[in-house]
Amino acid sequence: MKKRDFLQLSDLTRDEHERLFERAAVLKRERREGKTHQTLAGKTLVVIFEKSSTRTRLSFEAAAYQLGGHAITLMAGESQIARGEPIEDTARVTASYADGIVFRTFGDSRLEAMARYARVPVINGLSEGGHPVQLLADLFTVIERHGSLEGRVVAWVGDAASNMARSWIEAARIFGFELRIGAPKEYAPSNAFLETVGKGARVHVTTDAREAVRNADVVTTDVWTSMGQEAESAERRRVLGGYSVNSSLLAAAHPSAIVLHCLPAHRGEEITHDVVEGPQSAIFDEAENRLHAQKALLELLLT
């Protein structure tokens, strides 16, 4: 059987996504009931990080173990990758030891090379182009809280050229919900991206954060300065200063709106402490759902 990779959301059909969310819900419920599974018995997952990680590492390691498999985490700085070993060599060797690879990297070209040369499924654990495994958890959380994605309005506030915003745009195209982006023009999604990945999606871009959030069902954001952008942090704080998800902005959303953030959060910058800890926050349910959504993904790709 031909191996399948998960480098972006569109590597799965909408029907496959929906079945994945249904399976994630079952796995979540059964874990809370104390039930265990052995669907990955005898399987080894190798998780390779060129960027630091908390949730991606913990959730994939826990997911493999809880499904009866085993995970090995390889930090690039502790491997021959740091000494210049080509990705194609790393990919072929790792695939000979493992049944699946999660790769967290910078450039999408490195991710694509890993997938091209590895003979086992490769999962994007985050790249410049997107963060699809995070979106699985985010979308699953919206379904849990609101029943479905149908007819929903999602507001993205802040840096809309980020990998998270890119994945939300891709999700809007696949699932058909309305995505409103509130971002300064300096950090708006490019027209080229909207015309390719976002083609056919209901995406509306505005520089007015309050207009983006008005009556939205979901309000989501991410840090203003991502890994690798530290030298730009002062300028980013200056430009994005008016795009913080605070209680005043959230008041413009629908009263039943939930707030998402992929974490880590810089409280007081892109989101305030009171919103993170407030009654509309689904942030920590979202973080837990990384585990359940990725379990369902591993079952789909590795079994």
Side-chain angles (χ1 to χ4, degrees):
M1 184 173 68
K2 184 179 179 181
K3 68 117 171 182
R4 296 189 66 184
D5 301 313
F6 185 66
L7 309 186
Q8 55 189 356
L9 289 170
S10 55
D11 285 334
L12 302 183
T13 66
R14 179 167 176 171
D15 283 347
E16 286 175 321
H17 277 289
E18 290 173 350
R19 290 197 298 272
L20 184 150
F21 297 140
E22 290 171 1
R23 178 59 176 162
V26 171
L27 289 165
K28 182 174 184 176
R29 183 183 70 249
E30 291 184 345
R31 172 162 170 74
R32 292 184 172 184
E33 294 170 349
K35 295 181 181 179
T36 59
H37 296 272
Q38 293 293 310
T39 47
L40 293 189
K43 302 283 187 181
T44 298
L45 181 71
V46 172
V47 187
I48 303 175
F49 289 115
E50 292 187 322
K51 287 186 170 186
S52 58
S53 173
T54 297
R55 279 148 293 276
T56 300
R57 176 175 180 171
L58 290 175
S59 57
F60 271 113
E61 288 184 356
Y65 175 77
Q66 291 174 19
L67 293 176
H70 179 64
I72 301 170
T73 293
L74 182 67
M75 304 303 295
E78 300 170 357
S79 76
Q80 297 299 333
I81 293 174
R83 299 180 65 239
E85 181 173 65
I87 286 295
E88 53 263 42
D89 293 0
T90 301
R92 284 181 285 205
V93 171
T94 305
S96 70
Y97 304 147
D99 300 285
I101 298 170
V102 177
F103 190 34
R104 186 179 181 95
T105 185
F106 288 88
D108 290 285
S109 61
R110 294 179 68 76
L111 177 68
E112 291 159 4
M114 180 70 75
R116 186 180 312 118
Y117 287 96
R119 56 180 173 81
V120 298
V122 172
I123 296 169
N124 181 358
L126 179 145
S127 69
E128 289 177 353
H131 198 358
V133 290
Q134 177 66 54
L135 259 288
L136 293 181
D138 293 1
L139 297 169
F140 178 41
T141 305
V142 175
I143 292 168
E144 277 191 323
R145 292 297 190 97
H146 287 310
S148 74
L149 295 166
E150 293 291 335
R152 298 300 167 193
V153 176
V154 177
W156 173 273
V157 179
D159 180 4
S162 69
N163 49 14
M164 278 296 299
R166 285 169 174 260
S167 286
W168 272 109
I169 292 168
E170 186 182 17
R173 176 175 58 78
I174 295 169
F175 295 98
F177 58 81
E178 181 182 352
L179 177 64
R180 299 193 203 133
I181 293 173
K185 62 182 184 300
E186 295 91 333
Y187 297 110
S190 70
N191 289 332
F193 187 82
L194 290 173
E195 290 167 3
T196 52
V197 174
K199 186 176 182 180
R202 291 193 296 156
V203 178
H204 308 285
V205 182
T206 176
T207 57
D208 186 338
R210 187 166 294 272
E211 182 59 32
V213 167
R214 197 177 312 279
N215 292 321
D217 301 293
V218 180
V219 179
T220 185
T221 187
D222 192 9
V223 295
W224 292 339
T225 304
S226 297
M227 288 177 284
Q229 299 172 336
E230 289 79 7
E232 308 167 17
S233 60
E235 175 64 9
R236 285 175 168 272
R237 284 196 300 272
R238 184 187 69 80
V239 176
L240 290 160
Y243 294 84
S244 179
V245 178
N246 53 36
S247 57
S248 173
L249 182 66
L250 187 57
H254 192 278
S256 65
I258 62 170
V259 176
L260 301 178
H261 191 305
C262 62
L263 299 177
H266 293 172
R267 301 185 188 206
E269 289 189 6
E270 78 281 355
I271 192 167
T272 56
H273 176 84
D274 62 310
V275 171
V276 173
E277 301 293 348
Q280 291 175 268
S281 173
I283 291 169
F284 296 101
D285 286 344
E286 171 192 8
E288 179 192 343
N289 283 340
R290 289 290 301 273
L291 172 68
H292 310 300
Q294 288 164 192
K295 280 184 177 179
L297 179 67
L298 291 175
E299 285 186 339
L300 175 65
L301 299 181
L302 272 60
T303 63

